[in-house]
Amino acid sequence: MPKRGGTEVFRITGARQGLADDVRGRQRRYVISMTVRTLSVIAAAVLWNVERHVAIVALALGILLPYVAVVIANAGRESTPSLPSTFVPTPVRPALGEAEATEEDDAERPHGRN
């Protein structure tokens, strides 16, 4: 939608989260995942002679969590398809086609001469 000065208008309701906020959120999720992994490895070491089944599950969790945490942290920014576009294009005025101009030129020329 052009305003009086002909400038473009942007909608902020569909704007994505800022880059700094996005990186901070991914770092937070990664740190939480690594904390859970560290606690599960410590629990596996402590419970190995007490409750071996629980220790094996905790160790498996400690082995799998780094892969999952990296995949989640590297997921990157994703657009939200449910929100409207952030850019409203400027309406384009229709222009005269060359075909119309050529037909008018041909009508004005006498036949037999180019």
Side-chain angles (χ1 to χ4, degrees):
M1 290 187 218
K3 292 277 186 185
R4 292 179 212 159
T7 59
E8 297 173 346
V9 177
F10 296 91
R11 293 184 194 143
I12 63 168
T13 56
R16 294 191 307 188
Q17 183 180 15
L19 182 59
D21 293 335
D22 181 58
V23 170
R24 189 178 312 118
R26 288 190 284 144
Q27 287 175 341
R28 185 180 319 122
R29 287 190 299 271
Y30 183 78
V31 167
I32 290 170
S33 298
M34 289 297 103
T35 303
V36 170
R37 179 208 184 219
T38 304
L39 292 175
S40 67
V41 170
I42 292 171
V46 170
L47 295 174
W48 190 258
N49 290 329
V50 179
E51 189 67 40
R52 188 146 311 186
H53 293 93
V54 176
I56 291 173
V57 169
L59 189 60
L61 184 65
I63 291 171
L64 293 176
L65 258 177
Y67 173 75
V68 173
V70 168
V71 169
I72 290 172
N74 289 333
R77 302 180 77 182
E78 300 193 13
S79 60
T80 52
S82 62
L83 294 176
S85 172
T86 57
F87 177 71
V88 179
T90 307
V92 180
R93 290 183 172 182
L96 290 176
E98 289 185 18
E100 294 174 12
T102 307
E103 290 173 7
E104 290 175 4
D105 291 341
D106 289 342
E108 293 176 3
R109 287 188 195 155
H111 292 288
R113 292 177 50 188
N114 288 338

